[in-house]
Amino acid sequence: MSVPGDGPAFALRNTATGLYLSATATYAGAKVLLTTSFDGSAPRWILQAYQSGRYLLNAADTTMCLNVAYESKAAGASLQQWSCNGGASEMWTLAATSSGGLTLVNQNSGLVAGAAGSTSGSAVIQLESSNDPLAQWEVVLPNSLAGSSTMPTATAPAAITNDSSSSITHAAIFGDEMIYNIYTPVFSSSGNLAAITHDLSRIASLGFSTILLMPIHPTGVPFDNHPACGSPYAVADYYAIDPTLGQPSDFATLISQAHALGLKIIMDVVLNHTAWSHPFIVQHPEYYVHTDSIKNNSHSILQAFNFNDVAQLDFKSGPAVQKYMLTMLVWWMRNYNVDGFRFDTADNPYGKGRMIPATAWAFIGNNLKAVNPKVILLGECCNPELSLSPFDMDYTNYSLQPAVAYAIKTQDASKLPKVFSQLQSAHPVGMLHTSIMQNWDMDLDLNMYGGPDGTLCAAVFNFTIEGVPMLFAGEEVGNDRGGNNTHTPVNWGSQLASRFSAFYKSLGMLRRSHESLRRGDTTWLTSGGGAGLIAFTRRREREEFLVAINFSASAVGGSANTKESLFKKDKLSTGGWTEVTPPGAAHAISHPAPPTIKLGPWDFSIYCRDI
């Protein structure tokens, strides 16, 4: 019997039963069964040539390949779907039989895919000996597909192009976002995805629109004299979920229940490098940067930057790596309805020498937006070259966040308006910057901002200035455990929990409820109140907010002006103001209505009015 070429879609029919090989579900790990019918409306399998007559057999509906559970070599081992890593247990040879059929010979064991001694429509496919009558198959190419070809999973879907000038959905559609960042292992005592699902209602009640999950993939183990450090950014399998965090069904439940509450889920993904124990190291050494330029030498692969637990992927020598990554990202979108991605080390090293070129980012970003124009693309970078191409949002921890920390440390906030204005002017209109106070790569917010009082002042600034606020889980209760690259569970029972929870809920819902705080124009005010005092307005259409923050340990006062002058016409108009200040400032005083400003030490006030 003829074997289909690399690419065309076909069905595999069991010659003994007339039933078809079928994937049971869309997630990795799903069993492969016999099914009672094949209607020809969609292809079932695609061959991807690998080497020397060996193939990956990809399920066209799921973009995963036929694999042997746990890489077993034993007869009776179940077959399942898994990520396309090209391992021996995922490679098959289609060998013709004397009866005119063919067998699917597994390259890891020499055994064949069989129907587990059953003729039923629910028979589980297992490894069998080659003389099993239920282990013979025939290729069925439906007439409707006879002249067509479906792209193998190693490349982008046919509808996707590499056109960096294609239309990009304007980043302004993401201006309403508020992001809650979770590192699953420290989020709860159980350290799993189910705990996040259980807490979704509370997260939504804080005003957040989106949850960012730090990498949930299996992480690396020591390999070939290379260490493993337990970092979630050392990925060992892009298509799998770390079993210590839960099963694929747990992730699917998390997403479906989040969507039911109006929350989006975005994944933190690491395209720049892999763990040393990733199968690519042995199977595709050509995917990496090498110290000796010998692409098939797995021992000369370069480590990524100064991280000795990860290997540097090569996005510059050819399209293979970026196509693999694109296919993987689309798979998560289509199979789990993921709403977007945060891209680790997107601009490292900064500028033209970055390991992932701007052209590769444009290719990936444009194609993801072709699948879903509203996909969220957040880059760990702050480079105008990557703004809107492809990233809708980037990070301010390279400029604005250090400026806030400096203002608190020196009790001098006078440089904040200039830093903010430089950030805005350096990027194209519509580019959004996440306002962060803490993440997994940083110290505790309580340490960086001089304790709880300074931390709340920084939070008021981050939630009321232009951009997208991002909170690291635990900040909302004054978590006092952990630090940089922490593996310590959040202390939800912190002594600050009551004070901080009330503050963040009020502040988060204030922003969520008022478009002016999300999309309004910013005007910096002068007040004559000293270096520690900053004030600004956010205004949109018929609503205006005035925010005043005292970044100092002394009481301050002044009068808000729109310009650096004493002319009456430059003074902020009076009347109509309502105070909406969140609770929590330890040294708060009674705040007069604008334009007068009076604040206690480390105090803040927020006023709103219709215009």
Side-chain angles (χ1 to χ4, degrees):
M1 172 169 286
S2 62
V3 174
D6 181 11
F10 57 90
L12 277 170
R13 182 165 55 198
N14 188 266
T15 57
T17 65
L19 301 174
Y20 294 88
L21 192 68
S22 178
T24 60
T26 59
Y27 54 81
K31 291 181 179 179
V32 177
L33 305 174
L34 290 180
T35 188
T36 55
S37 65
F38 178 75
D39 59 13
S41 62
R44 286 289 187 260
W45 303 95
I46 300 169
L47 283 182
Q48 181 187 336
Y50 191 76
Q51 55 181 229
S52 304
R54 300 175 180 180
Y55 297 88
L56 299 180
L57 191 62
N58 295 318
D61 296 334
T62 67
T63 71
M64 285 178 289
C65 67
L66 187 67
N67 188 19
V68 182
Y70 308 110
E71 300 186 357
S72 173
K73 297 182 180 181
S78 293
L79 304 187
Q80 61 184 9
Q81 301 182 118
W82 208 256
S83 55
C84 306
N85 292 323
S89 65
E90 301 159 2
M91 283 190 227
W92 304 85
T93 298
L94 280 68
T97 67
S98 58
S99 60
L102 54 84
T103 56
L104 304 176
V105 183
N106 184 260
Q107 296 304 293
N108 195 43
S109 63
L111 299 174
V112 302
S118 173
T119 59
S120 74
S122 60
V124 176
I125 305 302
Q126 297 181 354
L127 287 182
E128 305 287 355
S129 62
S130 59
N131 60 4
D132 188 324
L134 289 171
Q136 295 191 26
W137 306 87
E138 59 183 352
V139 169
V140 178
L141 189 65
N143 292 334
S144 61
L145 298 174
S148 68
S149 176
T150 302
M151 298 295 288
T153 60
T155 62
I160 294 177
T161 65
N162 187 12
D163 180 9
S164 60
S165 63
S166 64
S167 61
I168 300 174
T169 303
H170 199 276
I173 69 172
F174 304 108
D176 294 332
E177 300 297 336
M178 287 172 53
I179 301 175
Y180 189 74
N181 185 11
I182 297 177
Y183 181 33
T184 305
V186 306
F187 183 75
S188 66
S189 58
S190 58
N192 58 26
L193 295 168
I196 300 174
T197 302
H198 182 73
D199 204 30
L200 287 174
S201 294
R202 183 192 66 87
I203 296 170
S205 73
L206 294 173
F208 291 99
S209 62
T210 300
I211 294 174
L212 164 60
L213 294 176
M214 282 178 56
I216 59 173
H217 307 298
T219 56
V221 296
F223 180 81
D224 196 21
N225 295 320
H226 295 287
C229 303
S231 169
Y233 294 95
V235 175
D237 187 345
Y238 286 106
Y239 281 88
I241 293 171
D242 187 335
T244 65
L245 306 182
Q247 299 301 311
S249 57
D250 295 318
F251 187 48
T253 298
L254 170 60
I255 292 179
S256 65
Q257 293 196 19
H259 287 173
L261 291 170
L263 290 166
K264 305 180 186 72
I265 300 290
I266 62 176
M267 297 176 65
D268 196 347
V269 290
V270 190
L271 307 194
N272 181 76
H273 49 262
T274 73
W276 291 101
S277 57
H278 193 287
F280 282 169
I281 295 289
V282 174
Q283 297 161 8
H284 287 289
E286 74 278 9
Y287 282 4
Y288 294 90
V289 177
H290 290 256
T291 58
D292 60 5
S293 300
I294 302 176
K295 300 298 285 183
N296 64 352
N297 181 10
S298 61
H299 299 292
S300 66
I301 294 173
L302 183 71
Q303 78 172 41
F305 314 122
N306 62 335
F307 309 129
N308 62 0
D309 61 332
V310 286
Q312 179 65 58
L313 286 165
D314 185 0
F315 281 79
K316 298 180 180 180
S317 297
V321 175
Q322 70 182 32
K323 287 183 177 180
Y324 175 90
M325 293 301 182
L326 172 61
T327 301
M328 177 268 297
L329 296 170
V330 171
W331 182 87
W332 285 102
M333 292 170 65
R334 288 178 171 167
N335 287 281
Y336 288 96
N337 292 318
V338 169
D339 298 292
F341 304 95
R342 180 259 190 196
F343 296 93
D344 185 62
T345 59
D347 190 35
N348 198 346
Y350 181 89
K352 301 295 184 181
R354 71 179 68 88
M355 299 309 296
I356 304 180
T359 52
W361 281 126
F363 169 81
I364 291 170
N366 291 343
N367 286 305
L368 292 178
K369 288 191 178 291
V371 176
N372 176 11
K374 294 184 178 181
V375 64
I376 297 173
L377 304 180
L378 166 62
E380 189 193 15
C381 59
C382 193
N383 190 329
E385 184 183 8
L386 302 178
S387 294
L388 304 185
S389 182
F391 302 122
D392 310 304
M393 310 174 201
D394 62 11
Y395 275 60
T396 62
N397 58 321
Y398 303 103
S399 56
L400 195 57
Q401 184 274 331
V404 174
Y406 179 83
I408 292 171
K409 180 179 180 180
T410 62
Q411 300 187 39
D412 181 356
S414 60
K415 293 182 174 61
L416 276 178
K418 181 178 180 180
V419 174
F420 173 82
S421 298
Q422 289 175 337
L423 176 67
Q424 297 295 98
S425 62
H427 294 261
V429 175
M431 184 61 184
L432 294 167
H433 311 286
T434 55
S435 301
I436 71 170
M437 294 172 59
Q438 178 189 342
N439 62 24
W440 195 67
D441 291 326
M442 300 165 71
D443 197 0
L444 288 172
D445 55 352
L446 296 174
N447 296 334
M448 290 187 290
Y449 307 108
D453 296 341
T455 298
L456 295 191
C457 287
V460 170
F461 181 81
N462 277 13
F463 275 72
T464 57
I465 199 65
E466 289 182 48
V468 175
M470 184 190 297
L471 204 69
F472 192 62
E475 286 188 83
E476 73 272 28
V477 295
N479 174 46
D480 54 5
R481 296 176 186 167
N484 184 33
N485 295 169
T486 184
H487 293 277
T488 303
V490 170
N491 180 16
W492 295 104
S494 157
Q495 292 183 350
L496 297 169
S498 178
R499 174 185 173 190
F500 271 46
S501 295
F503 165 82
Y504 274 108
K505 185 169 186 177
S506 175
L507 182 62
M509 291 308 296
L510 184 66
R511 181 183 178 94
R512 185 78 166 172
S513 303
H514 293 275
E515 190 176 18
S516 295
L517 288 177
R518 304 191 306 272
R519 297 171 176 267
D521 295 328
T522 300
T523 300
W524 294 95
L525 305 175
T526 61
S527 63
L533 175 62
I534 61 165
F536 55 91
T537 60
R538 299 292 308 281
R539 181 169 179 165
R540 184 174 177 87
E541 296 178 349
R542 301 190 61 80
E543 185 182 59
E544 183 178 32
F545 277 81
L546 188 151
V547 180
I549 308 171
N550 180 14
F551 286 100
S552 77
S554 302
V556 296
S559 182
N561 298 295
T562 58
K563 295 181 180 179
E564 292 185 9
S565 75
L566 299 178
F567 293 110
K568 185 175 181 180
K569 65 182 179 63
D570 294 329
K571 291 185 180 294
L572 199 68
S573 62
T574 61
W577 293 103
T578 300
E579 185 170 13
V580 290
T581 305
H587 310 288
I589 62 173
S590 178
H591 303 137
T596 302
I597 297 176
K598 287 186 179 181
L599 298 173
W602 306 109
D603 194 9
F604 42 83
S605 66
I606 303 177
Y607 278 84
C608 176
R609 69 175 175 180
D610 295 330
I611 53 176

